[in-house]
Amino acid sequence: GRHFSVNSCLIPLCTLDHAAVTTVEGIGNTENKVHPVQERIAKAHGSQCGFCTPGFVMSMYALLRNNPQPTEEDIEDACESNLCRCTGYRPILDGFKTFCKSYCCKKELLEAETQAQENDMDCKLYKLSDLMDYDPSQDIIFPPELLVLKNKSTKSLKITGSNITWFRPSSLDQLLLLKREYPKAKLVIGNTEVGIEMKFKDINYPIIISPSEIPDLNTVKHTDEGIEIGACISLTKLNKILSDAIEKLPEYKTRTFTAIVEMLRWFAGHQTRNVGERKVITMDESFFTGYRKTRLDDDEVVIAILIPFTEENEYFLGFKQARRRSDDITIVNAGMRIIIEKSSLQSAHIVKDCTLSFGGMAPITVIARRASNFLIGRKWNKDLTELIIPLLNEDMPLSFSTPGGMVEYRKALACSFFFKFYLTVTSRLSPVEDLAGTEIPTSYLSATSTFKKDPTRSIQVFEKPDANQSDDDALRRPIAHTSALKQATGEAVYCDDMPKFEQELFAGLVLSQRAHAIIESVDYEDALAMPGVFCHVTADDIKGFNLFGAIQADEEVFATKEVTCVGQMIGVILADTKQQANKAAKAVHVVYKDLTPILTIEEAIQASSFFPCNNQIQVEGIEQEIEKSDRVLEGDIRIGGQEHFYLEPQACLALPKLESGEMEIFTPTQGPHLIHENACKVLGVPLNKVICRTKRLGGGFGGKESRTLLVALATSVSAQKSKRPVRCVLDRDIDMSTTGTRHPYLFNYKIGFSSNGVINALRLRMYANCGNSLDLSPAVMQRSILTCSSCYRIPYFEISPYLCKTNIPSNTAFRGFGSPQGVFAIETILSEIAIDCGITQLQIREMNLFQDGDVTHYDDVVEDNRAQVVLSEVIKRSDLHRRQIDIESYNRENRWTKRGIAVIPLGYPIGYPVKFMNQGAALVLIYTDGSILLSHGGVEMGQGLHTKMIQICSHILEVPTEKIYTIETNTSNVPNTIQTAASMSTDLNGAAVAAEQFGLIEIIIDPTISLNACEKLRDRIKPYQEANPKGKWEDWIQAAYLDRVNLSANGFYSVPGVVPDSKGNKGKTYLYRTFGAAVSEVEIDTLTGDFHPLRTDIVMDIGKSLNPAVDIGQIEGGFIQGMGLFTLEEHFFSSNGYLLTRGPGTYKIPSSTDIPNEFYVYLLPNVPNKHAIYSSKGIGEPPLLLGMSVFFAIKDAITAARQDAGVSNVFRLDSPATCERIRMACNDRITAS
């Protein structure tokens, strides 16, 4: 029997008749025994937030069941369709590759070589010897019942539901009878779109027919003409059938097969590919009659498709370009076929037949008939590539209003594909040594190569624990995330995993369908009449205030008179099930009076639509300073937004207690106190009546800091009104279209600098698209203003900020807050200066670095500056200078692929520039059995915060980590907490657990906080340890308890020395910086805009790491998320304010195929930080900004392409550097046409 990994959201339940379903819970658990797959992803640190972990586990499990000895390539292929937002994929692949013996040998050899070179450093985040062996015989047996049924014919099946009838015919005759009876029925074989259409597009299919078990449609026939493939053969089977034929048959016969197999490599992943009266019809341009319409009559079905052999002088190639290489949805694709004969009279190759077919250039697949006919009878030479461009444009005219946009890019792709086709066919017609006669330079052959990603190679180097530290001490050791195994087995409980309460109701949200409009009326009558509906909730049901906000209460919980964005909440429908609630919510009828929306920064500027902003930094005489400089540059810079794409959607469960207004609110939020405070204001009750509880987050990244209020407040009000538990869990499309993103920015700059590149003065205008409410935008902009200089000295720096008020959902916090946008602007300006001055990108950065004693533009004195240290280290470790020479050589030898390299240093200030936010608290309870319950103000969202807190507690109390447990973050245990954000949570909460353990104890200004929770308990227990030195921990605890010693202690920490205090001390805006530097090398295809990072080296100064595995996980995950921001991830709104990129089908985050082939991380040793717990540093956000090294490497590669084309090196490249922007920046005769 075969095992398949499938996406549960894509495969219809009815197709699983005669199938056995195994979920992650079924292969192992922590109570009995975990499966080796579960153990390895956990111990290899491949599970952070854990929400994606079961999917990866089951993909690997299915691979092992079919192939117990996989190769590295098999493992990477098995994981390519699974998405992870936390880890950066490297540790997941690393853990799974331990099932490959050759990989283990290479890993041990690489670690040994590294260890020999690094002396006091370590490079083993886990030990291979600690992993249990994999014995396939111990896996669950294949169900005998299925083996018995294997050779029996499948019976027909009919399943009738309330709205759908599902048929599974068992013969072709039954299928044809059903098609005659139900001519409009939807056929489902591997059609992964059906579930998406029904759920997200509200398309109703009352009759569905699944012919997947019909023998006649699952046959494969080898004929003299080619291979006939049954219509129900899955793409996975098709790939194997064609691959086998390619291996056995002569090359010339299988050129079509080869092209199809190459396309299948990048057509989604295994999970998607696993789910795919007689007459003959030729699949030519007449086959498709319209969008998703064919020449087939309603009662006809496709039985098989014949894929013909190619002739010896026939060539066939396929091409595809998608937003992400492994995506099945393409921007443009093409199939090109040509027959060429050698003319003995003319000594030339003559085109005898030609077909050029394109997808993505019209609603249907089209054949470029003019271009195809033009080629027939002509000589096959380079002149054709020039002549064919206008014909392709005539065949496939695209207006600027064409759906999907990217008109110029799509037209360029069609022409580029033909150019690649010409070069590939020509190279096959003539051996390489004879290419000179064809007038094709050998440098052009780079256009003919197909992409092949090498298996990833990586090493992580970090400082060993202190030499005098005992082996039992967990501090500074790479221990696994405390919940990793539970996440890998499916036992970890997320908000929506909580069991359903009795009489629980589900909330369906009534959302605005207009970007800006007056609400004239809202009619709930039809919705309330629907089955299962309990009631509706509106602003009239709010007992407190209908306003909320993180900084200023300027948003309505439920809109009353006016809506200011698509997706704004108008009301709630409560029903017995989620499906009933959502369906009824869509039945609410709202009448609007439309107003003109403002969607973009430019529209806001034109309309002067701004929120107040008082954070500007003014410099008297800035214009004179700029103008007196040797050189002056000015221009605009743009960076787009970024969807958080946490894997766990926004959710809330509100549980009313029916006494005195009490309520418990369960919600995955980064800010429990923010929820607590706003909920009580809206409910009209004091804070002591409500408890907010957060177990864990399936990813947050800032998106669950303030925008969780939307769902939590609506759910809480609903629970208060109904007096019943209410649950609300957003679907992915609703989540993405209502909760906001990272702020898009537009910068306008004017800079003066010396002739050798030293910056003198900069005037910078920052425009942020804030959306329809203030939310955290002032704080985001403040962060942009204060941190944009990164590690560079700018003597005169004037900044004018503008908070643009627009009619899109309110944008919000995102990892790095406003720093990525601001630093990107400065790095872009530096790049332009380097080009203008004719110096290298490295030189411009080194000469403008901060030095100790310099003063920032916000008046902090720079100290402990290690920007040059990390920069020098990454240059050495990456072998930058030699590789730059190699890249120059590569670019000379390759015209149509180019490589680029970039180095980016970073100085990232850590902390909150607001005094009250620099505080943390903890509560530690020791029970009489010696177990310890640790609570603190931070939230676990995958970043390993609970793990680090347990390590600190274990170190102080000198007990094993297994004795310490953290249940949740709970406002009744630790009240008034600060949001888990800003890379500060370990600093604040760790110091509340153990405040005395700093690099330098004298920084503790207030002696009353020199001891915190664990030190207090340690000192209370110490007399009993001294009295019974041979006793155990449990003995000492029992003795203390019997002696009436308080075995609970709270801790509190306020950061000293930040911002002005009451004693007149000026203080600092930020106490310290986390430093880092990255070198990234990329390769781009200049004809398509495709790119891939070849190698990344990262060096970080993070002080003395509390847990190297956790910190390296943050570095790698943050870097890949940053790479997504600067290269892949792009939002699109329609002209009426509707978000078009509202799911994984249209919004692309990096996948495992996008990470660098080589990925190296090095933590700088011997760099204690006197300002934070145990000399550590905040690490969550800084690495994200290093992802821009990939952007600037791409820009470097584009520069090389432009040099070949003879165009200027100075050009604008906005972020993200998508395939469209890359291609269109590589000026050549195709883009010029």
Side-chain angles (χ1 to χ4, degrees), residues 494-499 501 504-509 569 574 578 648-656 663-669 675-676 679 683 690-694 696 704 707-719 724-731 735:
Y494 298 86
C495 187
D496 196 33
D497 293 326
M498 295 180 64
F501 287 91
E504 182 178 296
L505 296 170
F506 288 80
L509 307 184
M569 205 178 309
L574 298 181
K578 180 179 179 179
E648 177 199 26
Q650 299 275 7
C652 183
L653 174 60
L655 187 63
M663 186 178 293
E664 279 188 287
I665 302 172
F666 300 87
T667 180
T669 177
I675 297 286
H676 191 199
L683 296 173
V690 174
I691 298 172
C692 183
R693 301 171 62 178
T694 301
R696 58 170 58 84
K704 293 176 181 174
R707 302 316 288 168
T708 41
L709 287 166
L710 294 169
V711 175
L713 298 182
T715 308
S716 302
V717 172
S718 299
R724 289 169 62 173
V726 175
R727 187 186 303 249
C728 182
V729 182
L730 299 188
D731 288 330
D735 191 308

Side-chain angles (χ1 to χ4, degrees), residues 239 242-243 246 255-267 273 316-320 325 449-452:
N239 186 65
L242 297 182
S243 297
I246 291 167
R255 289 168 184 163
T256 303
F257 302 171
T258 302
I260 293 172
V261 168
E262 176 61 24
M263 288 299 99
L264 288 175
R265 282 178 63 206
W266 310 116
F267 188 87
R273 297 200 296 260
F316 185 96
L317 291 171
F319 302 94
K320 168 196 168 186
R325 185 179 294 106
S449 60
T450 56
F451 175 81
K452 186 178 187 306

